[in-house]
Amino acid sequence: AAAQTFAAGADAIVTTSSTLHKQMYTHAPSGNSGTLILRNASALSTTEAGGTASFSVLLSTLPSASVQVASMSLDSSEGAIQSGANLVFDSNNWNVAQAVVVVGIDDALPDGDITYAVQLNAVSSDFNFNGVGSSANVVNLDNEVATLIVTAAPNLQTTEAGANVSFTVALSAQP
């Protein structure tokens, strides 16, 4: 199937290709005709055990000047850019995909799977690309399981006469 382009708001373009199972999300300020193309940027997930996810970036058209694209996680407690934080495109490599690799960050909380965004922002003296941005959503898969920890003395017994015993109960992870 051919790629389809849909208007998705005043300044957004969403392009999908069902044959390639790829998606691109781009924000272009009014007047800009250049876009950042994100490949393999759907259904991304990292893990709190340090698992990674990757996608690639390229430009939609030949730039008249160098284009620097900065990538950053919008939630550094869930994910970080492992490589591809600073991409540079020019007339020689504008249509060559460059990788961004994101790594999951561990926490001690059983907070469930958390979605965070990777934001990409372009800076260039080429007006068509200066200020152009894009983002990809990533899910960081949680690895903590909350359980109760019961600690008691060996041979813990009570009597019908009302003897007392003690034990402690604690959570295995911070709530």
Side-chain angles (χ1 to χ4, degrees):
Q4 299 174 348
T5 301
F6 305 93
D11 293 322
I13 298 168
V14 177
T15 303
T16 63
S17 171
S18 59
T19 301
L20 301 175
H21 304 288
K22 297 177 181 177
Q23 294 184 336
M24 302 175 274
Y25 302 93
T26 301
H27 169 74
S30 297
N32 295 54
S33 62
T35 57
L36 301 176
I37 299 172
L38 305 185
R39 288 192 176 158
N40 301 314
S42 61
L44 296 172
S45 64
T46 56
T47 68
E48 287 190 355
T52 62
S54 64
F55 60 94
S56 58
V57 182
L58 62 145
L59 303 182
S60 60
T61 61
L62 175 69
S64 63
S66 176
V67 178
Q68 297 177 356
V69 178
S71 307
M72 64 180 278
S73 169
L74 295 184
D75 186 347
S76 59
S77 68
E78 293 296 334
I81 305 300
Q82 187 175 61
S83 65
N86 296 296
L87 308 175
V88 178
F89 295 94
D90 58 29
S91 60
N92 295 315
N93 71 348
W94 66 273
N95 60 351
V96 177
Q98 296 185 41
V100 175
V101 179
V102 187
V103 63
I105 302 296
D106 195 12
D107 58 32
L109 304 174
D111 54 357
D113 299 344
I114 303 289
T115 299
Y116 62 98
V118 173
Q119 180 67 42
L120 296 96
N121 296 306
V123 175
S124 177
S125 60
D126 180 339
F127 174 76
N128 291 312
F129 286 99
N130 192 47
V132 171
S134 190
S135 64
N137 287 328
V138 185
V139 176
N140 195 31
L141 304 175
D142 196 20
N143 65 354
E144 284 82 26
V145 177
T147 60
L148 292 176
I149 300 170
V150 179
T151 307
N155 302 322
L156 186 66
Q157 295 181 2
T158 61
T159 66
E160 288 183 12
N164 292 325
V165 295
S166 296
F167 59 92
T168 59
V169 178
L171 296 175
S172 63
Q174 180 181 343

